[in-house]
Amino acid sequence: MKRAFALCVALAGLAEVGVQTAIYLHVPSEASWDAAAAYVRAQVQPGDGIVFAPHWVDPIGRLHFGDLVSVEEAARPDRSRQARLWEVSIRGARYPEAVGQVTDDRSFGRVRVRRIERPAAKVLFDFTAAMPERRHVGEIDFLPYLCLPARPGETLTFKDVPMGASIAVGGGIADFQSRYDSDAPVTLETSIDGERLSDQSFDNDGWRRVALDTARFAGHPASVQFHLTAARPRSRTFCFHAEVHQ
């Protein structure tokens, strides 16, 4: 019995060593990160976006690419206006908005760098930029987003907004305490000239972005309203970004 027990302990120890070794072998080295950063630094152009995948590697990426990633770039809530994206990834992950033609793809050890090019969206109006006194960097799913904080029961109104083909809206439940206190969804109601266009529900699943069809309003200025509701409003905080695309 004692021998069997000792054998089990020894095998468990070997298994743990094997697991730790496998984890270590899959961790990118500092040299790999530095080489990837040096390559992007030599190629990047003004207006390019730099993103990291999976999302939890974002702090490590910003540590090595810090001089290329300003606070506004790190917290950019919508990247559709960027014609070029540099996706820096590990473990085969992909950044959700890194969609387009891959024009460069190379690896530096276990760090992969892809350059993606695509047509950039033309932004006719940025609701977040229109309220500089209010906008701030919110924490949503432990990532930064430049957005407009708002609480359920509140309505934000924007007059004489130039209208285009769509309104891109992104948002999420801001700050850890709010997500911890409740899982009640927040509904964002979007109206144009008093006509309800869409109701979008957001919960604790991180930042989510949708495109609302506004083609029938295109070419004319309009009043746009965002109204928030929630079943338990006192325990919910919300932050969102919206912009009109041609």
Side-chain angles (χ1 to χ4, degrees), residues 4-23:
F5 179 75
L7 180 60
C8 288
V9 171
L11 290 174
L14 288 173
E16 183 176 356
V17 170
V19 170
Q20 293 298 324
T21 301
I23 293 173

Side-chain angles (χ1 to χ4, degrees), residues 10 30 36 59 62 67 71 76 80-81 90-91 100 102 107 109 113 121 127 132 152 180 182 199 202 218 221:
E30 292 291 310
R62 283 186 276 120
D67 58 315
V71 172
R76 189 178 294 276
S80 58
R81 68 177 71 185
I90 65 172
R91 301 184 182 184
V102 179
S107 295
V113 175
F127 293 93
Y180 178 81
S182 173
D199 289 351
F202 298 83

Side-chain angles (χ1 to χ4, degrees), residues 10-240:
L11 290 174
L14 288 173
E16 183 176 356
V17 170
V19 170
Q20 293 298 324
T21 301
I23 293 173
Y24 176 79
L25 291 175
H26 282 82
V27 174
S29 66
E30 292 291 310
S32 295
W33 280 107
D34 290 340
Y39 179 74
V40 174
R41 190 173 290 110
Q43 304 288 328
V44 71
Q45 297 177 6
D48 287 1
I50 300 175
V51 297
F52 305 100
H55 74 277
W56 51 261
V57 83
D58 191 76
I60 301 173
R62 283 186 276 120
L63 175 66
H64 292 271
F65 289 74
D67 58 315
L68 300 177
V69 185
S70 64
V71 172
E72 185 167 345
E73 173 62 20
R76 189 178 294 276
D78 189 322
R79 297 188 177 277
S80 58
R81 68 177 71 185
Q82 294 178 309
R84 299 206 321 172
L85 283 181
W86 293 91
E87 180 194 67
V88 183
S89 65
I90 65 172
R91 301 184 182 184
R94 290 287 174 266
Y95 188 82
E97 290 189 64
V99 178
Q101 181 181 3
V102 179
T103 57
D104 194 3
D105 187 344
R106 62 189 67 210
S107 295
F108 302 86
R110 295 192 176 277
V111 179
R112 186 176 183 182
V113 175
R114 298 196 312 158
R115 185 177 68 225
I116 293 120
E117 300 187 25
R118 72 274 179 88
K122 183 176 181 180
V123 178
L124 300 181
F125 189 82
D126 185 326
F127 293 93
T128 303
M131 300 187 74
E133 74 288 350
R134 182 166 184 149
R135 66 175 184 166
H136 82 148
V137 177
E139 175 272 307
I140 299 172
D141 198 22
F142 304 105
L143 291 175
Y145 290 92
L146 188 61
C147 51
L148 295 174
R151 287 191 171 274
E154 190 172 7
T155 300
L156 275 65
T157 301
F158 300 82
K159 297 181 178 180
D160 298 322
V161 176
M163 299 304 299
S166 64
I167 295 180
V169 181
I173 307 302
D175 85 66
F176 169 81
Q177 192 62 46
S178 180
R179 296 191 297 272
Y180 178 81
D181 289 342
S182 173
D183 59 359
V186 172
T187 298
L188 178 65
E189 175 189 312
T190 304
S191 300
I192 298 179
D193 286 339
E195 177 184 336
R196 182 182 295 183
L197 182 66
S198 173
D199 289 351
Q200 297 294 326
S201 181
F202 298 83
D203 52 28
N204 293 349
D205 60 352
W207 184 268
R208 190 164 59 82
R209 181 175 172 273
V210 295
L212 309 179
D213 185 355
T214 59
R216 59 195 175 93
F217 300 98
H220 304 282
S223 175
V224 180
Q225 284 190 329
F226 299 100
H227 178 68
L228 286 95
T229 59
R232 294 191 290 277
R234 292 185 62 183
S235 61
R236 300 271 79 182
T237 58
F238 187 72
C239 206
F240 76 99

